[in-house]
Amino acid sequence: MAAAVFVSVFLDLGTTNITVTAGQNITLECLSLVNDVIQLVQWTRPDLKKYVFFCRDDQVNEKYQNPLFRGRVELSDPEMKNGNVSVVLKNVTVNDSGTYECRVSAGHSRRRLVKRQEPEAISIIELTVRPEPGHTHGDTGGGDDKGGGDKGGGDKGVHPGWMAAACVVGVIVVPGLILLVIRLRKKNSHQPARTDDDTQNVKTLQTKGNM
């Protein structure tokens, strides 16, 4: 994933501060000013065992590489032209935050019989990796539940405001309906029941009215 890298400041000790977002590919810059043949390139992180990147006589050796970085680090220029021993760190995570040191050993020949110089530190980079938006600090491995749950901050069901309004309406309406039913029942109970004689009188009055 291509992305911008923000270089914030160069300190007196030659340390470069870089801040990026998780998931990006970044380049850790390192340039050897020695014109001799580069025999050995070491990228290290003092807080970790083994190397971030190890290359001897143009051969990358993952045997000496920390498992955290295997398959994720490569030279930006495999031919190391003009002393460019920068490396590309792919798909960075929050766990990649730390101090990176570039050490280079150069000589007149790559032959193993030639005595090698001690690697010299020529670049120090302080890397800070921020979590992706919507991810917590612990979400470094992706996982199925990206973003820590449903985007939008919760359940996608009924909005809480509607639920509250429904409760209020229920509290007001239901007791009113109950009182109405009780009053109707009392009213019906006070009316006298119509007897058979009353029915006969009604029919007699209707017959007289038709005559």
Side-chain angles (χ1 to χ4, degrees):
M1 180 186 299
V5 176
F6 305 94
V7 180
S8 57
V9 65
F10 291 93
L11 302 179
D12 294 337
L13 298 178
T15 300
T16 304
N17 286 354
I18 302 178
T19 301
V20 297
T21 302
Q24 300 177 359
N25 297 342
I26 64 166
T27 299
L28 304 178
E29 300 284 351
C30 186
L31 184 63
S32 174
L33 300 179
V34 180
N35 292 326
D36 291 339
V37 176
I38 295 176
Q39 299 173 328
L40 179 65
V41 178
Q42 298 175 345
W43 277 93
T44 61
R45 228 176 80 179
D47 60 320
L48 296 178
K49 296 180 180 179
K50 294 190 174 183
Y51 296 96
V52 174
F53 180 81
F54 186 92
C55 179
R56 175 184 289 164
D57 298 328
D58 294 337
Q59 298 296 320
V60 178
N61 194 332
E62 292 188 349
K63 177 181 178 181
Y64 303 111
Q65 194 174 22
N66 188 293
L68 180 65
F69 298 100
R70 288 176 185 169
R72 299 177 52 225
V73 186
E74 61 184 23
L75 287 166
S76 60
D77 180 5
E79 297 181 4
M80 296 181 283
K81 294 179 181 178
N82 301 319
N84 183 9
V85 290
S86 304
V87 293
V88 177
L89 178 57
K90 302 177 181 179
N91 192 25
V92 296
T93 69
V94 175
N95 292 331
D96 290 327
S97 297
T99 302
Y100 293 78
E101 297 181 0
C102 172
R103 298 177 179 271
V104 175
S105 175
H108 298 289
S109 172
R110 290 190 174 91
R111 291 181 301 172
R112 296 181 181 276
L113 296 178
V114 177
K115 184 178 180 180
R116 302 180 187 277
Q117 298 178 358
E118 287 297 322
E120 179 183 358
I122 59 176
S123 177
I124 300 176
I125 296 176
E126 187 70 29
L127 176 64
T128 302
V129 182
R130 299 173 302 192
E132 294 184 62
H135 284 62
T136 62
H137 180 80
D139 293 335
T140 57
D144 295 332
D145 199 12
K146 291 187 177 181
D150 291 336
K151 294 181 179 180
D155 210 348
K156 294 185 178 179
V158 180
H159 193 279
W162 290 108
M163 295 180 64
C167 292
V168 173
V169 172
V171 170
I172 296 174
V173 173
V174 172
L177 291 175
I178 294 174
L179 290 175
L180 179 61
V181 171
I182 293 174
R183 288 179 180 177
L184 289 175
R185 287 183 176 179
K186 287 183 178 180
K187 183 177 180 180
N188 292 335
S189 63
H190 292 160
Q191 291 181 354
R194 179 176 293 180
T195 62
D196 292 340
D197 293 338
D198 293 336
T199 302
Q200 184 63 34
N201 292 334
V202 171
K203 290 182 179 181
T204 303
L205 291 175
Q206 288 178 347
T207 303
K208 291 181 177 181
N210 293 330
M211 290 178 63

